[in-house]
């Protein structure tokens, strides 16, 4: 791994969170990316619109599955990286023998260099990570700005970790919780709507902006580092160095519609990073009961791929 990216496993988790706590005040921009086991289930029932369908797909999959990697890159408000190690690649406990996954996703991650044998034996328990994340200065802070790319699933997994519970049952509740834990979010994919010449995924946008990659693609550390560099290059070129706050707090996706959509009609969601739009002006809705067990999540979904064989 490059000297800019450090691998974090269970045995060095506490030490590296100490290093992050020491750096976050000076480098309060956090670029983030995750790797997860794909999509294995679809929700059933009637939905308010395509956005609701996408959210319910996100919810049941995040509740059923386990995160594999998280990459965090720290920069200052000008995009200058922390000297030395600036990116932490957290490797979580995951077993291809016991945990559920989409086979094509695991195949892609294996080709990208992810060592699933080591994830099984040396991976970070999410409970330990969540405890340290809450006390890290990264969350619940108005002065920390998170940078992401098409990140519905990414923040879904993070919310599941910090709340130690299944995701809320509605988009509005999800967004309320998101704003508590992550008050300031920029999603590059949403910002691209104001950049007519930028299209495609993260790598395509980085190539268009001539941003070089450090490390292997489809690993969370390298992807988060590329996300950071791409964001600041985009901000400089298309927003004259300052992005209006009206773009903040929106995760890329579709607006909700008033029509009811049966399960047979919606487009199948993207495998990586959910397409959900959370309007920062959305009025609070009456809580319909948050959470529920993983069993409830499973009862509301149709598994379309089997877990790995033991």
């Amino acid at each position: 791994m490059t000297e800019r990216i450090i691998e974090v496993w269970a045995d060095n988790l506490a030490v590296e969170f100490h290093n992050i706590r020491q750096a976050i005040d000076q480098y309060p921009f956090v670029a983030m990316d995750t790797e997860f086991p794909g999509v294995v289930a679809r929700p059933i029932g009637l939905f308010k619109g395509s956005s609701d369908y996408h959210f319910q797909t996100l919810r049941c999959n995040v509740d059923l599955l386990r995160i594999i990697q998280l990459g965090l890159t720290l920069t200052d408000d000008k995009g200058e990286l922390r000297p030395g190690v600036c990116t932490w690649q957290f490797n979580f406990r995951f077993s291809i023998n016991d945990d559920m996954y989409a086979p094509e996703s695991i195949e892609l991650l294996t080709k990208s260099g992810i060592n699933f044998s080591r994830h099984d034996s040396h991976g970070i328990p999410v409970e330990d990570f969540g405890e340290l994340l809450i006390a890290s200065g990264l969350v619940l802070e108005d002065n920390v700005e998170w940078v992401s790319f098409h990140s519905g699933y990414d923040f879904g997994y993070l919310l599941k970790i910090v709340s130690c519970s299944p995701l809320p049952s509605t988009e509005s509740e999800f967004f309320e919780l998101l704003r508590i834990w992550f008050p300031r979010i920029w999603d590059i994919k949403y910002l691209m709507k104001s950049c007519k010449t930028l299209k495609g995924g993260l790598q395509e946008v980085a190539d268009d902006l001539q941003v070089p990659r450090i490390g292997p693609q489809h690993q969370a550390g390298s992807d988060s580092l590329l996300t950071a560099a791409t964001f600041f290059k985009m901000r400089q070129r298309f927003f004259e160095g300052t992005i209006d706050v009206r773009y903040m707090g929106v995760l890329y996706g579709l607006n909700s519609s008033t029509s009811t959509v049966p399960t047979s009609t919606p487009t199948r969601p993207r495998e990586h990073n959910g397409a959900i739009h959370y309007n920062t002006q959305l009025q609070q809705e009456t809580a319909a009961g948050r959470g529920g067990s993983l069993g409830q999540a499973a009862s509301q979904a149709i598994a379309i791929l089997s877990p790995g064989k033991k």
Side-chain angles (χ1 to χ4, degrees), residues 22-78:
Q22 296 294 107
I24 189 60
D25 286 343
Q26 188 175 354
Y27 299 94
F29 277 73
V30 183
M32 178 268 291
D33 183 75
T34 68
E35 301 298 340
F36 52 90
V39 168
V40 301
R42 293 191 196 188
I44 59 175
L46 299 178
F47 306 95
K48 298 176 183 178
S50 59
S51 179
D52 183 38
Y53 173 77
H54 285 306
F55 172 73
Q56 297 303 331
T57 302
L58 179 156
R59 181 171 75 94
C60 67
N61 280 278
V62 169
D63 285 349
L64 287 169
L65 302 177
R66 299 169 65 91
I67 189 173
I68 295 172
Q69 275 189 345
L70 169 70
L72 299 178
T73 295
L74 300 188
T75 81
D76 64 15
D77 60 358
K78 296 179 176 60

Side-chain angles (χ1 to χ4, degrees), residues 46-52 171 254-262 285:
L46 299 178
F47 306 95
K48 298 176 183 178
S50 59
S51 179
D52 183 38
E171 288 183 81
L254 301 174
N255 289 314
S256 296
S257 68
T258 57
S259 61
T260 300
V261 181
E285 297 178 359

Side-chain angles (χ1 to χ4, degrees), residues 205-244:
V205 175
D207 290 343
D208 287 344
L209 295 174
Q210 297 182 320
V211 176
R213 175 182 286 276
I214 298 175
Q217 189 174 4
H218 301 306
Q219 289 205 24
S222 175
D223 285 353
S224 74
L225 185 52
L226 190 66
T227 297
T230 300
F231 171 77
F232 285 102
K233 190 69 172 288
M234 174 190 288
R235 191 181 73 171
Q236 176 187 5
R237 180 172 297 183
F238 293 95
F239 297 92
E240 298 181 349
T242 303
I243 303 177
D244 194 288

Side-chain angles (χ1 to χ4, degrees), residues 149 188-189 192 198-211 230 234:
F149 187 96
I188 292 173
K189 187 69 173 177
M192 286 166 57
L198 296 181
K199 299 184 184 302
L202 175 61
Q203 188 61 60
E204 294 171 270
V205 175
D207 290 343
D208 287 344
L209 295 174
Q210 297 182 320
V211 176
T230 300
M234 174 190 288

Side-chain angles (χ1 to χ4, degrees), residues 80-306:
E80 294 295 325
L81 297 167
R82 177 181 183 265
V85 171
C86 62
T87 299
W88 289 260
Q89 181 164 280
F90 296 92
N91 299 283
F92 294 95
R93 185 173 295 165
F94 187 89
S95 171
I96 59 174
N97 294 316
D98 299 324
D99 293 318
M100 188 178 292
Y101 59 84
E104 62 271 21
S105 295
I106 297 303
E107 181 181 358
L108 173 65
L109 295 177
T110 300
K111 289 179 179 178
S112 300
I114 291 181
N115 184 340
F116 283 101
S117 176
R118 190 167 186 192
H119 275 266
D120 194 6
S121 60
H122 292 81
I124 301 165
V126 291
E127 299 83 2
D128 294 349
F129 176 85
E131 181 179 351
L132 290 168
L133 178 62
I134 291 171
S136 67
L138 294 172
V139 297
L140 304 168
E141 295 289 342
D142 289 333
N143 61 330
V144 174
E145 304 196 20
W146 287 73
V147 179
S148 59
F149 187 96
H150 204 169
S151 51
Y153 277 80
D154 298 331
F155 281 109
Y157 279 103
L158 287 182
L159 284 181
K160 176 185 174 182
I161 290 171
V162 295
S163 65
C164 298
S165 64
L167 294 183
S169 60
T170 67
E171 288 183 81
S172 58
E173 290 178 288
F174 176 89
F175 182 67
E176 290 168 16
L177 193 62
L178 186 71
R179 291 193 67 183
I180 292 171
W181 289 98
F182 306 95
R184 302 173 70 85
I185 295 173
W186 304 103
D187 189 328
I188 292 173
K189 187 69 173 177
Y190 179 71
L191 294 175
M192 286 166 57
K193 289 186 173 184
S194 298
C195 310
K196 294 182 179 180
T197 61
L198 296 181
K199 299 184 184 302
L202 175 61
Q203 188 61 60
E204 294 171 270
V205 175
D207 290 343
D208 287 344
L209 295 174
Q210 297 182 320
V211 176
R213 175 182 286 276
I214 298 175
Q217 189 174 4
H218 301 306
Q219 289 205 24
S222 175
D223 285 353
S224 74
L225 185 52
L226 190 66
T227 297
T230 300
F231 171 77
F232 285 102
K233 190 69 172 288
M234 174 190 288
R235 191 181 73 171
Q236 176 187 5
R237 180 172 297 183
F238 293 95
F239 297 92
E240 298 181 349
T242 303
I243 303 177
D244 194 288
V245 293
R246 65 191 173 93
Y247 293 102
M248 181 179 287
V250 181
L251 303 185
Y252 174 82
L254 301 174
N255 289 314
S256 296
S257 68
T258 57
S259 61
T260 300
V261 181
T263 55
S264 59
T265 59
T267 302
R268 183 170 177 176
R270 286 185 49 164
E271 178 178 327
H272 294 292
N273 294 338
I276 301 96
H277 178 279
Y278 299 100
N279 190 335
T280 58
Q281 302 301 319
L282 185 66
Q283 294 182 349
Q284 292 186 353
E285 297 178 359
T286 303
R290 182 173 296 170
S293 66
L294 293 181
Q296 289 173 319
S299 70
Q300 296 169 7
I302 301 174
I304 57 175
L305 292 172
S306 299

